[in-house]
């Protein structure tokens, strides 16, 4: 099978990063990818990664509501002989379903966001209309979390044609003691110091302000250093706040240019203190590195972090601080949760698992004889024993 994926752009912070992992795992699951972006990206990293897997990439340049969008996408998919269209995002949904209809091939849409709190009745009606349109024009819909499934059912009145398959990722691998030791020396912290890392993008709603509040509540003699990786529009404000607070500046470090996976591989704890999130990829990657997590209990996060793999807290600086201290003071708890996080990643989120689950949906949509029934297409949830950690 050849699957045409349509995205808004090849922005490395969007869904395209996951598609680069899927392109590697897809052939073993019976299909290849063609990736079409409606807008060009000024960052070539994802296109280069896709190129290394021999995945055709087409970057268009179509403005919103450009009537040429459908013909351009149609031409790209036709030239590459795609068998099925898979869309990601509102505009790709509209353009991709129209192109698929012209090609007379199935179309599948993945939900990447939840709009659970409409601003008013008109907004609710518009969202419901979009959901019903998806049911009308899409052969299948994929939710990345059970939370999305419940939201979709409330909006559409049914989950017919919907499968729950969390986005996967290529195995990032675990770090080495040597790399962790080098990183600690670079930070200037002692061997017994616990290093907690946050790699969430620095933008509104991701909770780094609350995380700094939590750091301020840690006991002064607690041997914990917090590293903030990544970048975003809030970075200057965060750096200014830390620089202006003697307590924070002695405990918080920034690492803008270090790869997030490399930070997670040398961390003792991952912090993900967002106020809302659907299925954060970087939290999934943290589990892949075997790093236990302290995360807020919002959105789809409880479907990643369990009591076995980390600690879930309310959206509260005090509760975040309490769980971080508990984890910092118990190396055996960290080791146990880290091992469980790694296993959960391999069982549920590793790219080959994701590719196989999507392959089953693709075969079903195309009517293949070996395809499972539609009601069997949800990705299985691995059972984890509860040990009371």
């Amino acid at each position: 099978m050849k699957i045409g994926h349509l995205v808004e752009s090849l922005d490395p912070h969007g869904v395209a990063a996951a598609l680069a992992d899927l392109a590697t795992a897809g052939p073993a699951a019976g299909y290849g990818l063609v990736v079409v972006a409606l807008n060009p990206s000024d960052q070539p990293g994802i296109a280069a990664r896709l190129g290394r897997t021999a995945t055709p990439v087409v970057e268009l340049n179509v403005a919103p509501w450009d009537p040429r969008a459908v013909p351009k996408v149609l031409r790209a998919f036709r030239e590459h002989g795609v068998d099925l269209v898979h869309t990601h995002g509102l505009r790709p949904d509209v353009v991709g379903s129209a192109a698929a209809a012209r090609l007379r091939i199935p179309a599948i849409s993945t939900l990447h966001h939840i709009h659970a709190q409409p601003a008013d009745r008109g907004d609710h009606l518009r969202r419901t209309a979009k959901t019903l349109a998806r049911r009308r024009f899409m052969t299948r819909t994929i939710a990345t979390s059970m939370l999305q499934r419940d939201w979709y059912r409330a909006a559409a009145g049914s989950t017919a044609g919907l499968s729950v398959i969390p986005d996967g990722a290529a195995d990032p691998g675990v770090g080495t003691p040597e790399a962790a030791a080098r990183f600690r020396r670079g930070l200037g912290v002692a061997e017994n110091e616990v290093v907690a890392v946050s790699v969430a993008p620095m933008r509104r709603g991701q909770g780094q302000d609350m995380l700094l509040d939590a750091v301020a509540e840690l006991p002064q003699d607690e041997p914990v250093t917090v590293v903030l990786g990544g970048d975003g529009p809030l970075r200057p404000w965060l750096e200014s706040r830390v620089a202006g607070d003697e307590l924070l500046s002695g405990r918080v470090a920034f690492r803008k240019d270090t790869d997030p996976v490399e930070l997670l591989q040398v961390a003792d704890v991952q912090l993900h203190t967002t106020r809302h999130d659907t299925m954060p990829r970087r939290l999934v990657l943290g589990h892949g590195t075997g790093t236990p997590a302290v995360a807020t209990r919002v959105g789809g996060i409880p479907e990643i972090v369990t009591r076995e793999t980390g600690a879930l807290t309310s959206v509260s600086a005090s509760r975040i601080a309490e769980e971080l201290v508990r984890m910092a003071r118990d190396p055996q708890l960290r080791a146990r949760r880290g091992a469980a996080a790694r296993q959960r990643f391999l069982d549920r989120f590793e790219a080959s698992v994701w590719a196989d689950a999507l392959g089953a949906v693709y075969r079903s949509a195309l009517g293949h004889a070996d395809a499972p029934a539609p009601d069997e297409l949800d990705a299985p949830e691995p059972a984890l024993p509860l040990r009371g950690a």
Side-chain angles (χ1 to χ4, degrees):
M1 295 178 289
K2 190 172 287 187
I3 311 301
H5 285 262
L6 184 62
V7 297
E8 189 66 36
S9 77
L10 297 184
D11 182 346
H13 303 297
V15 68
L19 292 184
D21 291 346
L22 183 63
T24 300
Y31 56 91
L33 273 63
V34 174
V35 178
V36 177
L38 294 175
N39 282 307
S41 173
D42 58 2
Q43 301 183 59
I46 298 301
R49 286 180 58 196
L50 288 166
R52 288 194 289 271
T53 67
T55 298
V57 175
V58 180
E59 291 188 90
L60 305 174
N61 190 2
V62 292
W65 313 116
D66 187 334
R68 298 171 296 176
V70 173
K72 287 184 175 182
V73 170
L74 179 67
R75 187 179 309 115
F77 284 154
R78 180 176 285 140
E79 287 177 356
H80 290 285
V82 304
D83 301 299
L84 180 148
V85 173
H86 189 160
T87 64
H88 306 269
L90 178 57
R91 191 160 69 125
D93 283 351
V94 175
V95 175
S97 61
R102 294 276 297 275
L103 290 169
R104 298 185 178 180
I105 60 177
I108 289 174
S109 168
T110 289
L111 300 169
H112 290 284
H113 302 285
I114 295 175
H115 302 287
Q117 296 179 332
D120 53 35
R121 177 175 171 78
D123 193 38
H124 174 74
L125 290 173
R126 284 190 295 272
R127 292 174 184 174
T128 300
K130 291 174 185 176
T131 303
L132 294 174
R134 180 182 281 108
R135 285 187 61 190
R136 169 66 177 82
F137 295 107
M138 294 294 177
T139 310
R140 299 278 190 278
T141 297
I142 295 172
T144 60
S145 69
M146 301 298 284
L147 183 73
Q148 279 184 322
R149 181 202 63 182
D150 294 343
W151 167 79
Y152 183 90
R153 178 166 49 198
S158 169
T159 56
L162 182 79
S163 301
V164 181
I165 302 175
D167 284 352
D171 186 357
V174 298
T176 65
E178 294 77 15
R182 286 195 301 271
F183 186 72
R184 288 169 183 278
R185 288 195 295 270
L187 284 177
V189 302
E191 286 188 12
N192 67 332
E193 188 116 358
V194 170
V195 176
V197 167
S198 169
V199 293
M202 295 178 179
R203 60 174 182 251
R204 185 177 179 183
Q206 290 296 301
Q208 285 92 350
D209 57 329
M210 181 170 54
L211 175 55
L212 294 182
D213 291 341
V215 173
E217 293 190 25
L218 296 176
Q220 291 190 10
D221 59 348
E222 197 69 40
V224 174
T225 292
V226 174
V227 178
L228 298 182
D231 203 354
L234 292 184
R235 182 182 184 84
W237 179 85
L238 293 168
E239 290 179 327
S240 176
R241 178 178 171 187
V242 170
D245 187 310
E246 184 177 351
L247 182 64
L248 291 177
S249 61
R251 199 190 283 274
V252 177
F254 290 85
R255 289 295 183 272
K256 173 183 177 181
D257 297 323
T258 305
D259 182 86
V261 169
E262 292 180 10
L263 287 177
L264 292 168
Q265 287 173 331
V266 299
D268 297 301
V269 179
Q270 179 179 11
L271 299 170
H272 197 86
T273 57
T274 182
R275 289 183 169 85
H276 53 78
D277 228 329
T278 303
M279 186 60 65
R281 174 178 169 82
R282 292 185 179 181
L283 190 51
V284 169
L285 288 170
H287 272 40
T289 64
T291 307
V294 173
T296 41
R297 190 185 292 105
V298 299
I301 288 177
E303 297 175 46
I304 302 172
V305 181
T306 70
R307 60 182 296 186
E308 289 288 306
T309 69
L312 289 168
T313 82
S314 56
V315 182
S316 160
S318 296
R319 291 289 295 123
I320 293 165
E322 289 172 12
E323 291 296 345
L324 178 55
V325 168
R326 181 185 177 213
M327 198 96 79
R329 292 177 178 177
D330 193 338
Q332 292 184 342
L333 176 62
R334 294 199 304 273
R336 189 165 64 248
R337 283 177 164 171
R342 170 74 178 161
Q343 191 59 53
R344 183 165 176 79
F345 171 84
L346 294 174
D347 289 342
R348 184 157 179 81
F349 300 107
E350 196 272 328
S352 63
V353 177
W354 181 35
D356 286 344
L358 287 179
V361 175
Y362 296 154
R363 292 194 302 276
S364 175
L366 288 166
H368 288 198
D370 63 339
D375 60 356
E376 298 173 350
L377 291 172
D378 285 4
E381 170 69 32
L384 288 174
L386 298 180
R387 295 195 293 264

